[in-house]
Amino acid sequence: MSTQYQLVMRNGPNPGATYALDSELMTVGRDPNNTIAINDPEISRQHVRMILQGGKIVIEDNGSTNGTAINGKRISGPHVLKAGEMIALGEDIIFMFEALNFDPDATVVSSSSQPSAAPRQEPVLPASSPRQAYAGQVPADPVPVAPPSSSQSGARKTIPLVVGAGALACICACGGTLLWVDAANKWCDFFPFLFGSSCG
């Protein structure tokens, strides 16, 4: 049983694209002569190199401008990759490192992270297909937000009306009571503390 390694682009110009790591020395960068060439301004001409040593892949930053991070931590020297690790080149390009165990006698290729999954093939995109937006970018045409339904807007309009009508009724009741007290000359009966000794 042998192990095959690959990179799967999670974020970048071709999300989902798979790159087999099957050479002793592989390079990733903006230059078209790299093993994996990515035309993106975040990427240096020769951003990283990967070496197959003792059945493992060792990655090392090639002195790139924007750096290389593994699982969010920037590396400054060689790093032995483990299956499932996320490789970020700059801030916008992210790969997942996968290890596939291949049995030549078996009819199915299984992944350590996804058993019984067939190896992914690099997607073939038509030459005229538009550049895909990176994850996290705001779409050019934002989705419009639906206006509130008529029942919601009706409820919002009735609440202030009910509160206003209640306040008006309270003011009218207080004013009516004061008019009745004045007309019946009952000030001393209802408010003796205001008139003191004159209520005798």
Side-chain angles (χ1 to χ4, degrees), residues 98-158:
E98 290 185 350
L100 303 171
N101 295 324
F102 178 70
D103 184 351
D105 297 328
T107 55
V108 176
V109 175
S110 64
S111 167
S112 58
S113 61
Q114 297 175 344
S116 302
R120 288 184 221 178
Q121 299 297 321
E122 186 166 346
V124 179
L125 298 174
S128 62
S129 70
R131 181 181 171 102
Q132 295 181 4
Y134 292 5
Q137 283 188 338
V138 177
D141 297 322
V143 179
V145 178
S149 67
S150 58
S151 61
Q152 289 177 333
S153 60
R156 288 187 188 148
K157 290 177 184 174
T158 26

Side-chain angles (χ1 to χ4, degrees), residues 71-105:
N71 294 334
K73 185 176 180 183
R74 193 161 177 166
I75 60 171
S76 56
H79 174 86
V80 178
L81 288 169
K82 300 175 192 65
E85 286 189 316
M86 302 301 279
I87 304 163
L89 309 181
E91 292 186 13
D92 291 337
I93 310 298
I94 300 173
F95 291 98
M96 176 181 268
F97 177 72
E98 290 185 350
L100 303 171
N101 295 324
F102 178 70
D103 184 351
D105 297 328

Side-chain angles (χ1 to χ4, degrees), residues 6-14 16-19 21 28-29 36-38 43 48 50 59 69-71 81 84-89 92-98:
Q6 66 183 19
L7 294 180
V8 180
M9 185 174 281
R10 295 295 188 203
N11 195 47
N14 298 307
T18 304
Y19 305 91
L21 305 177
V28 181
I36 301 171
I38 301 169
I43 304 293
V48 295
M50 289 174 283
I59 189 171
I70 308 295
N71 294 334
L81 288 169
E85 286 189 316
M86 302 301 279
I87 304 163
L89 309 181
D92 291 337
I93 310 298
I94 300 173
F95 291 98
M96 176 181 268
F97 177 72
E98 290 185 350

Side-chain angles (χ1 to χ4, degrees), residues 37-52:
I38 301 169
N39 187 13
D40 188 281
E42 282 264 322
I43 304 293
S44 294
R45 292 180 66 79
Q46 284 195 345
H47 202 99
V48 295
R49 63 177 166 264
M50 289 174 283
I51 303 167
L52 182 60

